């Protein structure tokens, strides 16, 4: 069997963050090679290096036995590498057949289009992957998994030797999953190498030949799946020691701040949530991407209001219909996507800081720049924000400092309940431990904190209680000091016997 | 990282001020003024200055209220047509319905608010594209004006006391300039000194980000369009007073002048960036050019052409540095993971 | 047929209107006025097709009325100085294309918003023309009117010409790779780039093409009267965009069909004569036109909302 793709000692840094530290990886012909690791372990960076989206700092890439320097996306495609992302890059207004054709045809503008041939090819490719999609359907009418299948058909049609699938089953139904597995097996049978990224262990055991585990930008090991069990894999993923950067809890939790009873929202697939948050408590929310954690936060913040169940704040049943009512009830939400939702990059830090408290700090709607400046300076000092000053635009800050400003905006509302969604994503280590200290301090002052995080050591280290979500609802609750293994197992849906 | 570039930063700040859009525009305006003053004999007189103000009051008003709208990333093509419709309805309410002029004026302002409200509902509530919605109301408002007057009816013979509003002086300035000043100050304060303007900017930069910050996005957008309706109605009354008549074609093409003035004044058509004084300079640059060329015995059409060229130059000056930076930048970018 | 439901619904409205006219005012169908009306709309149709393609590529062009006027005047002047028809034809099309290229270069090259760029070129060209002509009409050589044919023959020729162009463009936008590139770029420019297309060149091309069509439309307009009006084409851009929107072209790009635009042009063109024949005052035309645009965009908005939910 020939080696399709080989990476040797690949290194890639972003500023101070070392995303890949000497990773080696090989993909054989007709192999399904699973890539496993927590969020931030370096999987997506590795993929982007392979697809040419990122230039590597150091190391070597061989494709088909040939060393390739200066890999670009176009070059990678020409060399037969195709990647199916979770969010497909398709033309929503065009038909499935045309979407496939635009990827595969290289024609001059004056060529006529063979619609019949396009449809036939689309039908054949879709048939080969067993997808029941009408080639004439507009892509925007398709569901997300259907769009992924179209992407796979494109990759197939392009004759790719290496197909990368980035969490392809995250949004698939059971039936679609089986379909996808059949497609992957078919690709393997045709000698294609598949790099398969997934959090779901059962898939990896069902499908993969080998599995490589990444952790903190390093490869922990590569094993044939039949020589390793789930328990060992989980150990490899979470093997990091819980270090002392997490400040300890200082006081016992106080009165109940937020209570959810059977809360659900049909639009976002969250259902049957029972939850209690108490003052002074940090509750960690673990789970896989797509488990419904951010969706739950969006319900609590009124972005997608709940349609079933009851939300109580301090014992009072309340209706949260939009972010404004959530804020009025003392709920604050620091969103996951900092650059799009957390901070308005073009606006000054001061304006970002006061954005959620216009009515309080600017009585009668008049801006008061001294009050705003003072408040911002206070936050800059208290949170240790490194910046040129309150008038510097949000975009001029590093990720960690942006996150502090996003946090400052919500602390300014003097909330009773603080929801943090991936508070340290894309934040360097130093800023991370500062943010942890801040969160712990806030809890000590009586705030109820719900911390959503995919960084398992973070959840374990910070939380007084750990909740685990899976499939849109809470499936487990653990006390502080729980074993990482148990949390991961619950998030993955493993039975108890794995422990 | 903060300490190293302090002097650099200061130099940068000065450079930024010099190259700031409004500064350059102000210099252009001053240059225009001196040039025309040296060429045309009557140009620099107080009378002529008043004349310029008198003639630019209506377009100025429209440009002023266009600024908040463009700050949200929207656009309003219907303001000129609304001016026409309001002028007609004002005349109608006075002459045919028999209202007194002040009552008719108040009703006209209400009608303006209603018409702006139509835009507001469609754009803010139904989230339809502003360009097409206001293209539709552009046609609708003008069409209603024509239908009401059957294309021929003209309202004239307004009493002198009313015409004074558009043709006389008050406290040393042309009367309508007082209205213009009040609206200018009000909108400047609104955009630059209140949470309203702050919210508009946030919406223009990132509607989603504004929503996540708990800002009332829909309401703010709607208010911007309603405000435009009210001020268009005010402009209609002033227009009627200046010309002494109301016709269905009042204010034809004004929306384009207003948009030109706003963009010329440095407001980004994508939203977020822009100032009210920039718009004011934009209006002044166009008005002075228009008037000055007449005094310089140049064809009036040159004013339009030069305005267009100025607009392109203003846009190009903004885009060129980005383009050059892009050409200079290494081709293989390594952005941090998002 | 689901795919063309948007176009069909406008067509049904048009058919109903025509039916009402057939019953209530058969005089609407008198051949000669009908022919004249259709011939007058021939240039509008061509311009509307062009702007529809621009909108499909997710841009907008409001300078087309000015390009139209400039090309018309140019055609008149060249005709007056004795150029043969075919040479004038070539000259105005090239002139239009060059003016379009100017827009396209600014939009694609400097990445400026097309609405503002074409607003500026619209004013520059219109005022420049006014300066040059001072509103003076240009006399056209007699042999030029109706291409030297009889009025009837000329009108038929114009209508046929416009329909042929429509058919060719509709075919090309559906069956030529280049036409499909417009839809691809308008639908998702980033995906188009990933698929190996060059969105900026495609944007430039569509503006050039738009300009050429405006030049062509100007020629078809010029031959309809003994004199060239330098103010012609005022408001044409809005009329054309309105027809495209009514015909189902989305300003958000990637959607629309030229046959829908055809129906849109016909529907808007019918309002005025229909009002006249129904003894409603024709002054309602613009208001009704505006209401139709609003209804079309509300309809699209509600439909899209349902499709995404």
């Amino acid at each position: 069997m020939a080696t399709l793709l080989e990476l040797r000692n690949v290194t890639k840094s972003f500023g101070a963050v070392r995303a890949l530290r000497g990773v080696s990886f090989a993909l054989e012909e007709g192999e399904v090679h699973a890539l496993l690791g927590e969020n931030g372990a370096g999987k997506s960076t590795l993929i982007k290096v392979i697809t040419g989206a990122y230039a590597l700092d150091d190391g070597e890439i061989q494709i088909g036995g040939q060393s390739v320097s200066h890999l670009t996306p176009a070059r990678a495609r020409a060399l037969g590498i195709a990647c199916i992302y979770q969010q497909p890059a398709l033309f929503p207004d065009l038909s499935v057949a045309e979407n496939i054709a635009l990827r595969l045809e290289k024609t001059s503008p004056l060529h006529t289009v063979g619609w019949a041939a396009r449809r036939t090819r689309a039908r054949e490719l879709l048939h080969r992957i067993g997808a029941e999609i009408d080639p004439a359907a507009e892509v925007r009418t398709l569901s997300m998994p259907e769009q992924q299948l179209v992407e796979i058909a494109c990759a197939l049609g392009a004759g790719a030797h290496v197909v990368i699938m980035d969490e392809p089953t995250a949004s698939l139904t059971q039936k679609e999953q089986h379909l996808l597995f059949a497609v992957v097996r078919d690709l393997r049978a045709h000698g294609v190498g598949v790099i398969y990224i997934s959090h779901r262990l059962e898939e990896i055991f069902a499908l993969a030949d080998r599995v490589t585990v990444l952790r903190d930008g390093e490869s922990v090991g590569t094993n044939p799946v039949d020589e390793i069990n789930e328990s060992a894999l989980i150990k490899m993923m979470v093997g990091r020691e819980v270090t002392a950067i997490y400040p300890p809890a200082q006081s016992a939790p106080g009165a109940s701040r937020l209570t959810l009873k059977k809360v659900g929202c049909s639009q976002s697939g969250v259902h049957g949530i029972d939850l209690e948050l108490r003052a002074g408590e940090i509750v960690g929310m673990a789970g896989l991407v797509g488990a419904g954690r951010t969706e739950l936060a969006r319900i609590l913040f009124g972005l997608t209001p709940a349609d079933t169940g009851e939300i109580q704040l301090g014992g009072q049943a309340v209706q949260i219909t939009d972010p404004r009512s959530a804020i009025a009830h003392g709920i604050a939400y620091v969103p996951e996507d900092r650059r799009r939702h957390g901070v308005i990059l073009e606006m000054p830090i001061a304006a970002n800081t006061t954005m959620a408290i216009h009515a309080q700090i600017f009585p009668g709607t008049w801006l008061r720049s001294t009050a705003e400046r003072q408040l911002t300076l206070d936050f800059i000092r208290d949170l240790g924000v490194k910046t040129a000053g309150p008038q510097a635009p949000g975009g001029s800050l590093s990720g960690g400092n942006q996150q502090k400003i996003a946090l400052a905006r919500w602390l300014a509302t003097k909330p009773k309940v603080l929801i943090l969604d991936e508070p340290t994503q894309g934040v360097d280590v130093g800023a991370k431990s500062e943010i942890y200290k801040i969160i712990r301090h806030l809890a000590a002052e009586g705030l109820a904190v719900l911390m959503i995080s995919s960084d398992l050591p973070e959840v374990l280290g910070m939380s007084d209680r750990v909740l685990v979500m899976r499939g849109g609802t809470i499936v487990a609750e653990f006390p502080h000091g729980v074993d990482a293994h148990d949390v991961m197992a619950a998030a993955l849906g493993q039975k108890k016997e794995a422990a | 990282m903060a300490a190293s570039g302090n002097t650099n930063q200061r130099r940068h700040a000065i450079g930024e001020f010099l190259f700031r859009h409004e500064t350059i525009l102000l210099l252009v305006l001053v240059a225009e003024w001196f040039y025309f003053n040296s060429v045309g004999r009557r140009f620099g007189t107080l009378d002529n200055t008043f004349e310029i103000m008198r003639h630019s009051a209506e377009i100025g008003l429209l440009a002023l209220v266009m600024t908040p709208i463009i700050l949200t990333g929207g656009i309003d093509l219907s303001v000129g047509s609304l001016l026409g419709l309001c002028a007609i309805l004002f005349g109608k309410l006075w002459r045919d319905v028999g209202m007194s002029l002040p009552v008719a004026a108040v009703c006209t302002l209400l009608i303006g608010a209603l018409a702006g409200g139509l835009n507001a509902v469609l754009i803010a509530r139904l989230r339809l594209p502003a360009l097409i919605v206001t293209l539709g109301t552009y046609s609708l408002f003008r069409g209603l004006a024509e239908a009401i007057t059957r294309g021929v009816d003209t309202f004239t013979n307004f009493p002198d006391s009313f015409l004074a509003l558009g043709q006389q002086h008050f406290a040393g300035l042309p009367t309508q300039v007082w209205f213009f000043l009040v609206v200018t100050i009000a909108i400047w304060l609104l955009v630059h000194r209140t949470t309203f303007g702050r919210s508009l900017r946030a919406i223009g930069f990132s509607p989603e980000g504004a929503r996540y910050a708990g800002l009332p996005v829909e309401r703010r957008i709607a208010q911007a369009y309603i405000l435009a309706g009210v001020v268009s109605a005010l402009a209609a009354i002033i227009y009627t007073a200046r010309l002494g008549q109301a016709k269905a074609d009042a204010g034809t093409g004004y929306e384009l002048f207003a948009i030109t003035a706003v963009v010329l004044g440095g407001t980004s058509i994508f939203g977020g960036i822009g100032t009210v004084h920039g718009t004011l300079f934009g209006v002044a640059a166009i008005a002075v050019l228009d008037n000055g060329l007449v005094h310089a015995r140049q064809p009036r059409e040159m004013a339009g052409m030069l305005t267009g060229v100025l607009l392109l130059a203003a846009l190009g000056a903004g885009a060129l540095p980005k383009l050059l930076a892009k050409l200079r930048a290494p081709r293989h970018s390594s952005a941090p993971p998002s | 047929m689901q795919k063309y439901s948007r176009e069909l619904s406008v067509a049904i409205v048009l058919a109903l209107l025509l039916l009402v006219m057939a019953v209530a005012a058969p005089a609407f169908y008198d051949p000669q006025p009908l022919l004249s009306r259709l011939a007058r709309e021939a240039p509008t149709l061509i311009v509307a097709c062009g702007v529809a393609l621009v909108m499909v590529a997710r841009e907008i062009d409001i300078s087309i009325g000015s390009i139209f006027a400039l090309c018309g005047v140019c055609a008149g002047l060249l005709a007056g100085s004795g150029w043969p028809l075919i040479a004038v034809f070539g000259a105005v099309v090239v002139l239009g294309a060059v003016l379009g290229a100017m827009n396209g270069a600014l939009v694609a090259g400097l990445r400026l918003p097309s609405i503002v760029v074409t607003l500026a070129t619209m004013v520059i060209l219109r005022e420049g023309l006014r300066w040059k002509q001072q509103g003076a009409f240009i006399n056209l050589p007699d042999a030029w009117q109706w291409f030297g044919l009889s009025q009837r023959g000329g009108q038929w020729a114009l209508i046929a010409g416009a329909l042929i162009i429509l058919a060719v463009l509709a075919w090309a936008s559906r069956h030529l790779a280049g036409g499909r590139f417009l839809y691809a770029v308008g639908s998702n420019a980033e995906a188009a780039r990933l698929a190996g297309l060059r969105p900026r060149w495609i944007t430039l091309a569509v503006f050039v093409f738009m300009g050429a069509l405006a030049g062509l439309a100007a020629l078809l307009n010029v031959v309809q009267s003994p004199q060239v009006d330098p103010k012609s084409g005022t408001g044409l851009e809005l009329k054309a965009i309105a027809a495209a929107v009514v015909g189902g072209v989305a300003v958000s790009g990637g959607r629309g069909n030229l046959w829908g635009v055809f129906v849109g042009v016909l529907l808007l063109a019918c309002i005025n004569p229909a009002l006249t024949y129904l003894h409603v005052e024709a002054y309602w035309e613009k208001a009704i036109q505006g209401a139709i645009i609003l209804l079309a965009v509300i309809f699209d908005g509600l439909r899209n909302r349902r499709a995404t939910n």
Side-chain angles (χ1 to χ4, degrees):
Chain A
M1 265 206 285
T3 303
L4 295 172
L5 172 77
E6 190 167 3
L7 277 72
R8 289 196 186 130
N9 283 317
V10 168
T11 306
K12 177 73 190 168
S13 301
F14 301 102
V17 183
R18 295 180 66 194
L20 294 177
R21 324 174 180 204
V23 172
S24 296
F25 178 87
L27 181 70
E28 307 289 330
E29 203 177 286
E31 175 190 42
V32 177
H33 194 146
L35 204 52
L36 196 60
E38 292 176 359
N39 282 15
K43 288 171 303 186
S44 51
T45 310
L46 187 68
I47 296 166
K48 286 187 172 158
V49 165
I50 295 172
T51 55
Y54 291 159
L56 48 143
D57 298 340
D58 201 16
E60 190 190 3
I61 299 183
Q62 287 193 354
I63 298 172
Q66 299 278 312
S67 180
V68 184
S69 56
H70 300 301
L71 192 64
T72 61
R75 188 95 191 278
R77 258 200 318 276
L79 291 167
I81 294 174
C83 183
I84 291 126
Y85 293 101
Q86 274 177 290
Q87 297 282 326
L90 297 170
F91 303 100
D93 303 293
L94 305 182
S95 71
V96 171
E98 181 153 31
N99 265 277
I100 295 174
L102 280 165
R103 291 287 187 83
L104 304 182
E105 293 170 3
K106 288 285 161 275
T107 49
S108 96
L110 295 180
H111 265 77
T112 52
V113 168
W115 284 105
R118 280 179 162 189
R119 266 193 295 273
T120 313
R121 175 174 51 203
R123 196 169 294 120
E124 274 168 8
L125 288 172
L126 291 168
H127 181 71
R128 223 179 105 190
I129 59 174
E132 286 166 14
I133 299 172
D134 178 9
E138 271 179 35
V139 161
R140 65 176 186 159
T141 64
L142 302 184
S143 66
M144 204 44 90
E146 286 175 323
Q147 295 191 19
Q148 278 180 356
L149 291 174
V150 174
E151 285 269 358
I152 294 173
C154 288
L156 212 62
H161 311 301
V162 176
V163 174
I164 304 166
M165 295 188 181
D166 189 358
E167 298 208 34
T169 57
S171 55
L172 298 198
T173 64
Q174 200 74 27
K175 182 172 165 250
E176 289 162 337
Q177 243 177 64
H178 285 303
L179 201 82
L180 183 85
F181 288 179
V183 172
V184 173
R185 293 198 183 100
D186 180 70
L187 289 174
R188 172 167 60 190
H190 285 83
V192 174
V194 177
I195 300 175
Y196 191 90
I197 295 160
S198 177
H199 280 298
R200 301 187 186 183
L201 293 188
E202 71 270 22
E203 285 179 12
I204 289 172
F205 282 98
L207 207 55
D209 301 301
R210 288 195 295 171
V211 53
T212 294
V213 178
L214 287 183
R215 193 173 71 216
D216 296 334
E218 283 176 286
S219 167
V220 187
T222 301
N223 295 291
V225 281
D226 35 15
E227 291 174 17
I228 194 163
N229 62 28
E230 297 186 354
S231 186
L233 271 182
I234 293 174
K235 223 167 250 153
M236 288 169 81
M237 283 169 71
V238 298
R240 186 163 34 151
E241 293 291 307
V242 176
T243 47
I245 60 168
Y246 302 106
Q250 285 160 337
S251 57
S256 172
R257 279 285 164 83
L258 173 74
T259 311
L260 304 190
K261 286 181 180 161
K262 297 259 168 286
V263 166
C265 170
S266 53
Q267 191 191 334
S268 55
V270 173
H271 56 92
I273 300 285
D274 288 311
L275 172 70
E276 179 163 38
L277 279 182
R278 282 174 295 174
E281 179 182 46
I282 300 175
V283 173
M285 181 70 87
L288 302 177
V289 173
R293 296 171 301 164
T294 296
E295 288 74 9
L296 175 60
R298 289 172 54 91
I299 290 173
L300 293 175
F301 195 58
L303 287 158
T304 48
D307 47 22
T308 55
E310 187 178 87
I311 300 176
Q312 290 179 358
L313 279 161
Q316 297 270 312
V318 293
Q319 292 291 323
I320 298 174
T321 51
D322 61 0
R324 295 178 68 70
S325 60
I327 294 167
H329 285 119
I331 296 177
Y333 174 49
V334 180
E336 178 182 14
D337 192 335
R338 185 168 57 230
R339 300 174 65 83
R340 275 180 57 212
H341 302 144
V343 175
I344 294 187
L345 300 174
E346 297 89 344
M347 294 185 84
I349 293 170
N352 270 298
T353 306
T354 58
M355 198 165 283
I357 51 162
H358 278 175
Q360 290 87 333
I361 193 169
F362 306 128
T365 80
W366 295 106
L367 299 181
R368 291 160 60 222
S369 53
T370 28
E372 177 172 70
R373 186 181 162 79
Q374 197 49 53
L375 182 82
T376 310
L377 284 173
D378 288 349
F379 274 115
I380 288 175
R381 190 193 58 227
D382 292 351
L383 304 184
V385 182
K386 292 190 189 69
T387 171
Q391 287 307 313
S396 68
L397 303 181
S398 70
N401 287 305
Q402 276 178 15
Q403 187 67 5
K404 288 178 187 171
I405 294 301
L407 194 57
R409 170 191 293 175
W410 292 108
L411 296 183
T413 66
K414 303 203 172 64
K416 297 193 177 70
V417 176
L418 177 65
I419 306 166
L420 302 167
D421 199 348
E422 303 288 356
T424 62
Q425 203 174 65
V427 169
D428 64 82
V429 180
K432 251 186 192 176
S433 77
E434 286 175 40
I435 290 174
Y436 294 146
K437 277 198 201 110
I438 295 166
I439 296 172
R440 178 49 77 190
H441 178 71
L442 292 170
E445 286 187 335
L447 208 59
V449 179
L450 180 65
M451 187 179 79
I452 297 167
S453 174
S454 298
D455 185 340
L456 204 46
E458 174 176 296
V459 172
L460 299 178
M462 287 297 296
S463 310
D464 301 322
R465 276 191 293 147
V466 178
L467 302 177
V468 182
M469 278 189 83
R470 179 178 161 81
T473 196
I474 295 173
V475 292
E477 175 171 346
F478 299 100
H480 178 75
V482 62
D483 193 35
H485 191 285
D486 294 346
V487 174
M488 186 57 92
L492 293 165
Q494 288 314 111
K495 320 288 170 304
K496 262 286 168 219
E497 102 267 324
Chain B
M1 147 165 78
S4 68
N6 219 336
T7 49
N8 248 343
Q9 231 161 39
R10 192 165 307 149
R11 201 173 305 155
H12 188 68
I14 295 170
E16 202 153 82
F17 176 75
L18 277 182
F19 285 102
R20 194 184 276 169
H21 205 102
E22 290 83 351
T23 320
I24 296 178
L25 192 59
L26 195 59
L27 291 177
V28 170
L29 190 57
V30 171
E32 272 183 17
W33 185 272
F34 277 103
Y35 173 72
F36 290 130
N37 207 14
S38 66
V39 179
R41 242 186 308 148
R42 272 200 59 256
F43 177 80
T45 62
L46 200 60
D47 275 354
N48 188 52
T49 309
F50 286 168
E51 195 59 27
I52 294 175
M53 290 179 174
R54 206 186 274 290
H55 279 270
S56 51
E58 294 111 34
I59 289 180
L61 285 173
L62 299 187
L64 282 174
V65 281
M66 189 72 80
T67 311
I69 289 178
I70 296 185
L71 276 180
T72 67
I75 198 156
D76 191 345
L77 297 178
S78 72
V79 286
S81 299
L82 185 54
L83 191 157
L85 178 61
C86 286
I88 288 303
L89 289 173
F90 176 66
K92 194 96 183 153
L93 290 173
W94 168 69
R95 192 191 70 188
D96 298 350
V97 180
M99 288 183 181
S100 70
L101 279 167
V103 175
V106 170
C107 287
T108 306
L109 294 180
L110 284 178
I111 291 165
L114 267 178
L118 175 62
N119 284 331
V121 166
L122 296 177
I123 294 164
R125 171 66 61 169
L126 297 182
R127 304 196 181 172
L128 301 175
L131 184 71
I132 298 302
V133 167
T134 58
L135 174 67
T137 48
Y138 158 92
S139 201
L140 180 68
F141 296 156
R142 181 70 67 199
L144 287 176
E146 287 177 2
I148 291 168
T149 60
R150 299 165 185 185
V152 292
D153 201 357
T154 309
F155 300 90
T156 52
N157 294 325
F158 290 97
D160 285 346
S161 58
F162 171 67
L163 296 181
L165 173 64
Q167 299 168 359
Q168 297 297 315
H169 288 69
F170 178 79
L173 282 177
T175 318
Q176 64 263 58
V177 173
W178 288 108
F179 283 89
F180 181 71
L181 281 178
V182 168
V183 174
T184 304
I185 292 167
I187 291 188
W188 191 89
L189 288 173
L190 208 53
V191 167
H192 294 281
R193 287 289 177 267
T194 69
T195 56
F196 177 75
R198 183 69 75 73
S199 308
L200 294 185
R201 253 174 238 283
I203 293 165
F205 282 127
S206 165
E208 271 298 280
R211 206 160 99 83
Y212 270 80
L215 297 179
V217 176
E218 271 185 29
R219 202 188 313 158
R220 291 287 172 267
I221 294 178
Q223 283 163 345
Y225 285 93
I226 293 171
L227 182 69
V230 175
V231 174
S232 301
L234 176 65
I237 296 168
I238 290 175
Y239 178 96
T240 310
R242 175 166 66 89
L243 294 182
Q245 60 170 6
K247 267 168 61 180
D249 67 351
T252 305
Y254 277 22
E255 61 282 341
L256 295 181
F257 281 108
I259 295 167
T260 306
V262 173
V263 176
L264 190 58
T267 300
S268 161
I269 201 84
F270 299 118
I273 303 167
T275 59
V276 172
H277 43 279
T279 296
L280 211 55
F281 298 157
V283 172
I286 295 174
V288 167
L289 200 63
D290 199 39
N291 178 282
L293 286 170
V294 175
H295 283 267
R297 297 181 191 290
Q298 293 293 322
R300 287 200 61 177
E301 295 77 17
M302 200 128 117
M305 287 180 72
L306 285 176
T307 305
V309 172
L310 214 53
L311 182 57
L312 281 184
L315 284 173
L320 220 48
K322 250 186 258 161
L323 189 75
L324 291 177
K326 205 176 151 60
L327 289 179
R328 246 183 259 136
R331 290 186 56 201
H332 216 69
S333 68
S334 53
S338 50
Chain C
M1 276 293 91
Q2 176 106 32
K3 207 176 150 194
Y4 297 110
S5 62
R6 178 63 171 73
E7 286 79 9
L8 279 178
S9 50
V10 184
I12 289 168
V13 172
L14 176 65
L16 284 177
L17 178 62
L18 293 178
L19 197 68
V20 169
M21 296 313 295
V23 176
F28 180 80
Y29 293 98
D30 285 351
Q32 191 46 52
L34 185 65
L35 200 60
S36 296
R37 281 202 300 276
L38 288 175
R40 262 203 306 279
E41 294 302 330
T44 313
L45 175 61
I46 293 174
V47 171
C49 285
V51 86
L53 293 177
V54 173
M55 288 164 73
V56 162
R58 208 174 183 173
E59 299 291 347
I60 194 118
D61 189 344
I62 57 173
S63 71
I64 45 187
S66 299
I67 295 178
F68 179 86
L70 193 65
C71 288
V73 166
C74 191
L77 291 174
L78 292 178
S81 60
W83 285 39
L85 180 66
I86 188 78
V88 173
F89 172 82
V92 291
V93 169
V94 168
L95 176 65
V98 168
L99 295 172
M102 190 171 72
N103 284 331
L106 288 166
V107 172
L110 290 179
R111 299 193 186 220
L112 299 177
S114 52
I115 173 97
V116 184
V117 166
T118 56
L119 169 64
T121 52
M122 163 190 179
V123 175
I124 293 172
L125 296 178
R126 177 66 68 186
E127 295 293 310
L129 187 62
R130 219 168 70 179
W131 185 15
K132 169 79 185 46
Q133 278 310 112
Q134 295 295 332
F137 283 53
I138 296 159
N139 288 317
L140 208 61
D142 286 342
W144 268 71
Q145 208 186 352
W146 306 117
F147 299 119
L149 304 168
S150 69
Q151 181 179 349
R152 225 183 137 76
Q155 284 170 338
W156 276 115
L158 285 177
I159 295 167
L163 286 179
I164 288 170
I165 289 166
L166 166 73
V168 168
L169 289 180
W171 177 85
S173 67
R174 176 76 187 145
H175 293 285
L176 271 193
R180 301 317 295 173
F181 291 171
L182 295 180
Y183 285 82
V185 169
S187 187
N188 184 346
E190 182 55 21
R193 205 179 56 77
L194 288 175
L197 303 182
R198 293 172 165 188
R200 294 169 82 178
W201 287 103
I202 292 166
T203 303
L204 175 65
V206 78
F207 276 102
V208 172
F209 195 65
M210 173 75 252
L213 283 178
L216 180 64
L219 193 72
L220 297 195
N221 182 52
V222 159
V223 297
Q224 298 198 32
S225 43
Q227 290 184 312
V228 182
D229 178 1
K231 288 198 292 297
S232 65
T234 311
L236 178 66
E237 61 283 340
L238 296 179
K239 204 171 164 192
I241 293 168
V245 169
V246 170
V249 180
V251 265
S252 52
R255 307 184 63 78
N257 175 303
L258 291 191
W259 292 108
V261 176
F262 177 53
V263 182
V265 169
L266 285 183
L267 182 60
L268 292 183
C270 278
I271 297 169
N272 189 27
L275 292 175
T276 313
Y277 282 99
L278 293 176
H279 306 291
V280 180
E281 284 156 351
Y283 307 113
W284 284 95
E285 182 191 8
K286 256 192 196 148
I288 292 173
Q289 185 176 311
I292 291 178
I293 296 171
L294 290 180
L295 286 178
V297 67
I298 291 170
F299 183 79
D300 284 350
L302 295 180
R303 225 166 64 119
N304 277 350
R305 192 169 287 189
R306 218 175 16 200
T308 47
N309 273 356

